[in-house]
Amino acid sequence: MIRNKLSLAVALVMPLTTFAAENTTIAPEGVKTEVLTVTSSADDGSAGTLRWALDKNNQNPGHYRIELQSPNNQPLVIKPLKPLPAVQGPVEIINLDWLHNGKYAAIDGSGYIKGSDPQSCPGAVSGQYGANVRTTTMPGLVLRDTHDVILQGMEIRNFCIGILINRAKDNVIEDSRIVGNHGGAGIMMTGDDGKGNSTATSTERNKIIRNTFINNGDGMEATRGASFNLIADNFITTDQVHNQEPSQGLEMLWGNDNEVIHNHFENYSDGVQLNWGNRNDIAGNTFSNLSSAVTLSGTGNIVDGNTMTGNRVAVSVRPQGEPGPNNTFGINRITGPAVNRITANIMVGNGQPVNRCFAGGSCLPGYAGAIVFNVPGLEHAAFIGNRGGGISNDTSKLEKICAIDGKSADCEKTPNKDQHAPLIAHVSRQQNDLTIDGQVKGEANTLYRVEFFSNSKSAMDEAEHYLGYQMVPIDAQGRGVIHEQITLAADLQVANVTATATTNDGATSPLSTPTALK
């Protein structure tokens, strides 16, 4: 069942496959690549073991290709007895069994990591543990300060972090399974300098494509300066039996300019959680049974063309601190207003009682629906949920939200400029022509994008079908007139229409109150 869901983005498979193929010849020009064959499940460093292959490759990176293959037609299972050496690229690590018959070769951390609960995975700060704290502890495969590592057809399981990509570039993790890594994440891409600081331009152009993630604390992370990475066509799931901290399918903390496209996220607190990441594109994904499908903070992010069904909140727009003075960074790493664009998404059947808030999600009563402003994060005193193992819950030291805690000198304002939804005054249909009239209030002398959505039943108040948009000028008094005619498909049932308004710099409103056809 899970394998079948990996075909989510057929249109994307061809370009991704082509891209990966173009990067498979990674030996230096004129250098003949020697194949190191791994057929043994032992971990004694002898010829034919994974440890032997990694050690030999690391002596002269760029001169080897590591191929894994079972000698007895049974899946190869390797249980290291101690941490494996960090992988030095360029190198391909390819499981031939997967290429031939779809069987994964497993690297299993249970040989030396004891326990499968969050407490067995300590964080970088003493007393903290699990998925929701800073950590690079006990990973399975480590790609640190390296480049051009390709990994295919592997199952990485039962570590605290499945694969750690730390200050590493141009690596490809593809066609693999990442299972039961119960600490930091299944795959963690981080520019962490070893002291918790970001390192710019160190963790870039990595590609996480066509993988399955099952029951990891966080499915993936792209943090502390991880930028320009591609996360595409992955299937990310968890359950409440085998995962004590179902936190995020993907967390981006201070991660910028990443592409998250054509993935499926389900059953976590958040599908994608942006913690002050900027200019990330989240497009063409599907989200279901999440407390919050996408949680936004930072600025310049785009949530485009996703399908969000059966969640508590489809898009949570989180308040955040003001920028610093004189165009310097504020507490949330932004220099100007926080504006995030939410466009052309299908949102149906949200507002469900999914009360799952492990360092994210939406568990504050009343905060549910399609696009919801002022949803607290774990840095806010109003947050309800688990902030992470060993983290203090002293709310007196946490941030305040003006709309929830009352106005004060340091409270955080409503996000996306508190842009209000348009008012749709009248909707009529004559055969296949739909006419929409209304108004929008906004920033004077600017141009707004108003998007229209329809619902097939009168009780629905979200965005079942995307109809299109109109560019609406806002006059000197801050008023814009909506008058749009849309040609519908003959079989499209329309009971009501909703709309969003987006400022010219990309701050999107919640959905409007539905307006019934007259």
Side-chain angles (χ1 to χ4, degrees), residues 28 31 54-64 88-91:
V31 175
L54 292 175
D55 280 336
K56 189 163 186 177
N57 168 76
N58 290 352
Q59 294 171 14
N60 198 4
H63 291 71
Y64 298 101
Q88 294 300 308
V91 65

Side-chain angles (χ1 to χ4, degrees), residues 40-42 70 74-80 104-108 155 157:
S40 173
S41 61
S70 172
Q74 297 296 317
L76 190 63
V77 178
I78 301 167
K79 292 188 175 182
Y104 296 98
I107 305 176
D108 188 329
E155 180 170 295
R157 66 192 191 205

Side-chain angles (χ1 to χ4, degrees), residues 185-432:
I187 294 179
M188 178 179 290
M189 295 183 287
T190 178
D192 196 313
D193 66 352
K195 299 179 181 179
N197 302 308
S198 300
T199 54
T201 72
S202 72
T203 310
E204 296 182 338
R205 301 187 303 277
N206 299 290
K207 299 165 189 66
I208 313 299
I209 53 178
R210 299 186 306 274
N211 303 288
T212 303
F213 293 79
I214 304 173
N215 287 330
N216 302 283
D218 281 351
M220 289 170 277
E221 293 188 14
T223 71
R224 291 179 165 81
S227 301
F228 300 102
N229 300 291
L230 173 66
I231 299 168
D233 207 25
N234 301 285
F235 181 76
I236 304 98
T237 189
T238 189
D239 62 51
Q240 308 312 301
V241 176
H242 301 96
N243 188 358
Q244 295 182 36
E245 288 188 327
S247 299
Q248 283 75 53
L250 167 64
E251 178 189 0
M252 286 192 276
L253 169 73
W254 308 331
N256 306 317
D257 302 291
N258 298 291
E259 299 287 335
V260 183
I261 53 177
H262 289 202
N263 305 282
H264 176 79
F265 298 90
E266 64 179 29
N267 303 344
Y268 274 93
S269 297
D270 304 89
V272 176
Q273 183 188 80
L274 285 177
N275 291 323
W276 320 301
N278 304 323
R279 302 176 304 279
N280 298 284
D281 288 342
I282 304 166
N285 304 281
T286 58
F287 299 88
S288 64
N289 194 34
L290 301 149
S291 185
S292 180
V294 176
T295 298
L296 288 174
S297 58
T299 191
N301 300 293
I302 300 174
V303 182
D304 182 7
N306 303 280
T307 300
M308 303 170 171
T309 58
N311 308 289
R312 182 178 175 88
V313 180
V315 181
S316 298
V317 190
R318 209 165 82 199
Q320 52 195 308
E322 294 289 332
N326 302 319
N327 206 37
T328 60
F329 282 128
I331 187 174
N332 298 140
R333 305 292 176 97
I334 58 174
T335 58
V339 294
N340 292 292
R341 185 181 297 271
I342 305 162
T343 178
N345 300 285
I346 301 303
M347 305 175 180
V348 182
N350 298 291
Q352 300 300 317
V354 184
N355 296 315
R356 190 184 306 119
C357 293
F358 289 86
S362 171
C363 286
L364 192 68
Y367 282 65
I371 302 173
V372 181
F373 285 3
N374 293 312
V375 176
L378 69 164
E379 73 274 19
H380 295 117
F383 174 77
I384 295 175
N386 184 331
R387 287 186 166 88
I391 294 178
S392 170
N393 283 308
D394 183 356
T395 57
S396 66
K397 300 178 181 178
L398 299 176
E399 298 168 38
K400 307 297 183 183
I401 299 173
C402 304
I404 296 174
D405 302 302
K407 292 186 177 180
S408 61
D410 59 349
C411 71
E412 296 176 356
K413 298 177 182 178
T414 297
N416 269 21
K417 300 183 175 181
D418 196 15
Q419 175 59 50
H420 289 192
L423 172 64
I424 304 302
H426 184 268
V427 181
S428 62
R429 179 173 185 172
Q430 186 173 8
Q431 295 181 338
N432 296 331

Side-chain angles (χ1 to χ4, degrees), residues 14-30:
M14 182 60 71
L16 287 177
T17 304
T18 302
F19 192 95
E22 290 172 351
N23 285 271
T24 54
T25 304
I26 56 178
E29 187 175 353

